[in-house]
């Protein structure tokens, strides 16, 4: 989703802005642009549809100079992903602005501006902001005052940065509903959509709060709260940059991140699994009151929640509801007394999850827990308890290691809720041994990579695929289907295998590969019957089966023998195999594995 970088420095900033955009590429985007004020006070602008590399080539031919600038990667919402709609947007030769978010009342504002003879160059919602600012500065307001006057007129979400050729000493930034962080250097100040964008220039950050406006200057920054009053926010110093952003010998971040899973799971498991303070100092007090759980999440994180429901209901014995945040936020729901709200989000910025968390605020709630991969993110800051997964920065848009570390976090949650509620049927020793063995079990699955790659070749010419699983493996089948559609663009659906005969069986023929998740559990024989129904109709089966489940390969039946595991380790282990399947299908199809079309890593608009 849109990414912002802004810089105010004594030195040249074009390369800093470009590097920031490169570091934001993982969020997903379809055009990129940069605006700077040159040493003679003139506004320079470059913006193109397509990748940051195109912008980079243009700058190599026509370099930009100056110590002040703003840059942007756009993920189109209003108007096509072309150069005219790309940011920065300008008002005359004076102002340039970048924006992440959606201005919901842009049509009304546009009509008012057009009635006053303002000419628009783009179809975007964003352009109204720069013209409103131009009116204010042309009327005599300073850039800061203009921003403070205009933002109350905007409905919706924004993080924005603006420069003014009449004031080449300041960049003004503001945020409401979309992420923005200041980067503090010596003799230079920056802003970015996340800290990753700025890690090459600083390790010191200030997280802006809702409604904050900041002025970036060479000597530092001024910060104002939504009420216009000066305000101080804490400075956070981050540790040395993780190796996560280095591709190394891998062809894609997704493959690297799949292979990192044993290490990242081990990092997450380095915590004492039965010490509830890993969820925060108030965890013991809050967990002691919990008699129901409501999980809210989107995408892959939602699938983690669906898996957790099985663990929580089976091992803790309390009701657990799971809902996609974009539905929950607009629905009149009934909250059970003693509910713990659990949000799951790799980015911590997903607009729907954040909004759902905020509306889930009533007398029945005993606390809000965020399971998240990004410290200081909006969802983390809006929660009472936090479990930070230790996946490291995930660059591939399709989530892999963030998902499996979420699963481990949710296991720890089940274990800790169970202990306090005295309802647990979890055997602590067995549980801890399973957790300790998880990185090795994942490594065993990674060793199956050549076989999975060969299996993937059968999918490249297909247009559809069906994924089947039962019980706790149904959400794993859903995650397998999501991965395949995200990166290979093959239409894939997941069904609980028992539902097969209620519809999807009609689709099964020799052109419909059917992937089955088949652990050796109490539902195995039921699943086996479901798979017979597929074979009887000519469907080609790809069975990811426990090696002891007794599946044999034959005509139309491909079997991947998986290590034996419990219902605690199994969801992680089968997921890794399905991740590899999707990766190799996408690789063979030649799609952009790390940045699939139309998708974004960090979905900061609704
Ligand atoms: C996007 C990402 C997915 C992610 C989903 C939810 O669609 O591409 O990988 O699962 O958002 O994001 P979150 O950051 O809240 O987990």
């Amino acid at each position: 989703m849109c990414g912002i970088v802004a810089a105010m420095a004594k030195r040249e900033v074009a390369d800093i802005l470009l590097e920031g955009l490169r570091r934001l590429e993982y969020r997903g985007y379809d055009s990129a642009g940069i605006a700077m004020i040159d040493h003679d006070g003139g506004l320079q602008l470059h913006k193109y549809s397509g990748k940051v590399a195109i912008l980079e080539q243009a700058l190599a031919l026509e370099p930009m100079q100056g110590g002040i600038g703003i840059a942007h990667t756009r993920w189109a919402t209003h108007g096509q992903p072309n150069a005219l709609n790309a940011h920065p947007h300008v008002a005359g030769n004076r102002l340039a602005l970048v924006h992440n978010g959606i201005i919901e009342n842009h049509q009304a504002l546009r009509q008012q501006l057009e009635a006053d003879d303002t000419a628009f160059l783009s179809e975007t919602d964003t352009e109204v902001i720069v013209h409103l600012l131009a009116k204010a500065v042309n009327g005599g307001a300073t850039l800061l005052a203009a921003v403070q006057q205009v933002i109350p007129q905007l409905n919706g979400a924004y993080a924005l940065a603006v420069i003014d050729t009449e004031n080449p000493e300041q960049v003004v930034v503001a945020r409401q509903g979309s992420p923005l962080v200041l980067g503090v250097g010596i003799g230079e100040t920056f802003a970015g959509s996340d800290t990753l964008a700025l890690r090459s220039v600083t390790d010191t950050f200030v997280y802006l709060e809702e409604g904050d406006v900041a002025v970036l200057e060479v000597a530092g920054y001024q910060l104002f709260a939504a009420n216009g009053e000066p305000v101080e926010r804490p400075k956070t110093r981050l540790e040395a940059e993780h190796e996560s952003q280095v591709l190394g010998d891998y062809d894609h971040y997704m493959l690297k991140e799949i292979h990192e899973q044993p290490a990242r799971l081990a990092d997450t498991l380095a915590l004492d699994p039965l010490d509830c303070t890993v969820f925060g100092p108030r965890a013991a007090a809050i967990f002691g009151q919990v008699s129901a759980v409501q999980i809210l999440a989107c995408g892959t994180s939602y699938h983690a929640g669906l898996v957790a429901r099985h663990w929580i209901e089976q091992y803790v014995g309390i009701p657990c509801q799971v809902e996609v945040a974009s539905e929950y936020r607009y629905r009149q729901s009934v909250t059970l007394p003693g509910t713990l709200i659990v949000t799951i989000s790799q980015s911590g910025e997903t607009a729907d999850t954040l909004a759902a968390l905020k509306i889930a605020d009533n007398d029945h709630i005993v606390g809000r827990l965020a399971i998240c991969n990004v410290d200081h993110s909006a969802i983390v800051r809006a929660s009472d308890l936090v479990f930070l997964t230790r996946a490291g920065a995930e660059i591939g848009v399709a989530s892999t290691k963030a998902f499996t570390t979420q699963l481990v976090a949710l296991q720890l949650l089940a274990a800790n809720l169970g202990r306090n509620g005295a309802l647990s049927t979890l055997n602590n020793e067995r549980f801890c041994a399973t957790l300790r063995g998880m990185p090795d079990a994942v490594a065993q699955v990674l060793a199956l990579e050549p076989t999975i790659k060969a299996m993937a070749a059968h999918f490249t010419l297909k247009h559809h695929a069906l994924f089947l699983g039962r019980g706790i493996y149904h959400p794993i089948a859903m995650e397998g289907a999501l991965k395949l559609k995200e990166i290979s663009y093959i239409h894939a659906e997941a069904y609980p295998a028992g539902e097969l005969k209620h519809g999807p069986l009609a689709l099964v023929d020799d052109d419909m590969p059917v992937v089955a998740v088949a652990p050796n559990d109490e539902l195995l024989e039921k699943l086996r019957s479901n798979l017979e129904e597929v074979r009887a109709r000519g469907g080609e089966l790809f069975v990811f089966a426990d090696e002891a489940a007794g599946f044999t390969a034959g005509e139309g039946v491909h079997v991947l023998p998986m290590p034996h595991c419990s219902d605690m380790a199994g969801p992680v282990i089968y997921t890794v195999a399905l991740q590899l399947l999707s990766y190799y299908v996408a690789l063979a199809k030649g799609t952009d594995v790390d940045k699939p079309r139309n998708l974004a890593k960090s979905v900061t608009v609704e």
Side-chain angles (χ1 to χ4, degrees), residues 444-493:
Q444 282 180 50
V445 175
L446 292 173
L448 300 171
E449 192 168 351
T451 318
I452 299 173
K453 184 175 179 181
M455 224 182 213
H458 295 270
F459 289 72
T460 44
L461 296 178
K462 304 290 183 194
H463 297 291
H464 308 275
L466 198 55
F467 285 66
L468 300 177
R470 296 197 72 138
I472 199 166
Y473 295 93
H474 173 227
I476 297 307
M478 292 169 80
E479 175 57 13
L482 177 62
K483 282 288 89 78
L484 189 69
K485 75 182 103 166
E486 278 179 313
I487 61 169
S488 76
Y489 315 149
I490 292 174
H491 165 232
E493 285 195 69

Side-chain angles (χ1 to χ4, degrees), residues 297-302 344-350 353 379 394 396-399 406 482-483 486 599-603:
C298 301
T300 287
S301 299
Y302 167 66
I344 310 172
S345 174
Q346 47 88 23
S347 64
E349 301 289 352
T350 303
T353 308
I379 289 172
E394 190 177 70
V397 164
S399 189
Q406 285 168 352
L482 177 62
K483 282 288 89 78
E486 278 179 313
L599 299 182
K601 181 78 184 163
S602 188
V603 183

Side-chain angles (χ1 to χ4, degrees), residues 429-442:
E429 257 181 40
R430 199 195 91 199
F431 170 68
C432 293
T434 303
L435 289 187
R436 280 195 300 275
M438 195 107 68
D440 283 347
V442 170

